[in-house]
Amino acid sequence: MTSTPGSAGPTAATTPPPSEPAGRVHRFARPVRLVHRATAALMLLCVASAACLYVPQLAELVGRRRLVVTVHEWSGLLVPVPLLAGLAARSLRADLRRLNRFGPHDRQWLRAALRRDRRPGARPAGKFNAGQKLYAAWIAGAVLVMAGTGLLMWFTGFAPLAWRTAATFVHDWLALAAGLVLAGHIALAYADPEARRGMRSGSVGREWARREHPLWAPGERAGDRLEDQ
């Protein structure tokens, strides 16, 4: 059976792929979801083991400090590994490019967020909003700094005492800040069940996409074009 010229145009734009239920749109590919889950598990393990080392009540409850230290060291060292492995996937590289683009619509989103302006159209966003982009950039920088300072604390023979003291100070306070930022990230995720469903299943409701990410939603692809330039 042959198709007539132009027959795939409007139909392809409005009909969801066979794998997607009607009224839902694909948001995250499987490699992206796997990297997110693995990184989240390692980050939570790292934060939990750090809490068991620094909170006396937890340290007393858990015990086995040497084992907790080993878990903390290796979980922290492995945090970047899922992302590095996931770079082999085109879908993850495409999402990272979008996260790395900051345009005029992102600045408008931030101004509206600071004013707590929730009017329709006040917070334009592509596939990722400005808050998600800032969070991704901050957490990536924090992981690199904590990995570097953690290695100085781990391999004590490679740096003088003054460096190790400074590394400990930076590592501890940055870890506390990272824990608070992660708690905020989790709280925002739990406040938005559809966003969680998108990361869990890969698809989101079409109306949610148009409301929360109007420059990315199907039929309104300008945001993707801006972010991919």
Side-chain angles (χ1 to χ4, degrees), residues 43-44 46-48 50-51 135 138-139 142 146 171-187:
M43 288 288 290
L44 289 175
C46 195
V47 169
Y135 168 79
W138 190 93
I139 207 70
M146 285 193 292
H171 189 89
D172 291 353
W173 283 102
L174 187 56
L176 177 60
L180 294 174
V181 171
L182 282 172
H185 177 69
I186 294 171

Side-chain angles (χ1 to χ4, degrees):
M1 181 177 178
T2 59
S3 59
T4 58
S7 61
T11 305
T14 57
T15 304
S19 59
E20 293 294 342
R24 300 193 66 78
V25 293
H26 181 72
R27 180 159 172 81
F28 292 118
R30 184 182 295 273
V32 177
R33 304 200 306 273
L34 290 176
V35 168
H36 184 269
R37 290 171 190 170
T39 303
L42 288 168
M43 288 288 290
L44 289 175
L45 184 59
C46 195
V47 169
S49 58
C52 291
L53 291 173
Y54 285 95
V55 179
Q57 293 82 357
L58 290 177
E60 184 177 349
L61 178 66
V62 174
R64 306 192 66 178
R65 183 176 178 84
R66 185 62 254 174
L67 176 61
V68 176
V69 169
T70 301
V71 169
H72 181 72
E73 290 171 343
W74 283 101
S75 59
L77 196 62
L78 291 174
V79 164
V81 172
L83 177 62
L84 295 175
L87 289 176
R90 182 181 302 175
S91 56
L92 180 65
R93 296 197 302 272
D95 278 351
L96 289 176
R97 283 196 299 271
R98 291 187 178 99
L99 282 169
N100 199 38
R101 300 291 190 274
F102 207 88
H105 60 285
D106 294 308
R107 288 187 282 274
Q108 181 180 342
W109 190 98
L110 283 177
R111 288 193 294 268
L114 291 173
R115 296 194 303 265
R116 299 182 181 275
D117 187 351
R118 298 293 303 183
R119 291 175 301 169
R123 301 188 183 188
K127 186 172 185 179
F128 301 101
N129 62 44
Q132 292 166 331
K133 293 177 181 181
L134 289 178
Y135 168 79
W138 190 93
I139 207 70
V143 165
L144 289 175
V145 173
M146 285 193 292
T149 54
L151 287 172
L152 286 176
M153 297 160 60
W154 189 355
F155 299 102
T156 57
F158 288 92
L161 178 61
W163 288 21
R164 298 199 305 272
T165 302
T168 302
F169 178 83
V170 172
H171 189 89
D172 291 353
W173 283 102
L174 187 56
L176 177 60
L180 294 174
V181 171
L182 282 172
H185 177 69
I186 294 171
L188 289 172
Y190 270 94
D192 194 338
E194 192 63 26
R196 295 201 315 274
R197 187 174 180 182
M199 185 53 74
R200 185 175 65 251
S201 68
S203 66
V204 293
R206 191 177 299 271
E207 289 306 314
W208 177 91
R210 285 178 174 160
R211 183 181 70 251
E212 300 294 334
H213 300 270
L215 301 181
W216 168 77
E220 302 173 56
R221 308 293 295 190
D224 270 354
R225 288 197 296 271
L226 283 171
E227 292 170 347
D228 288 336
Q229 288 176 357

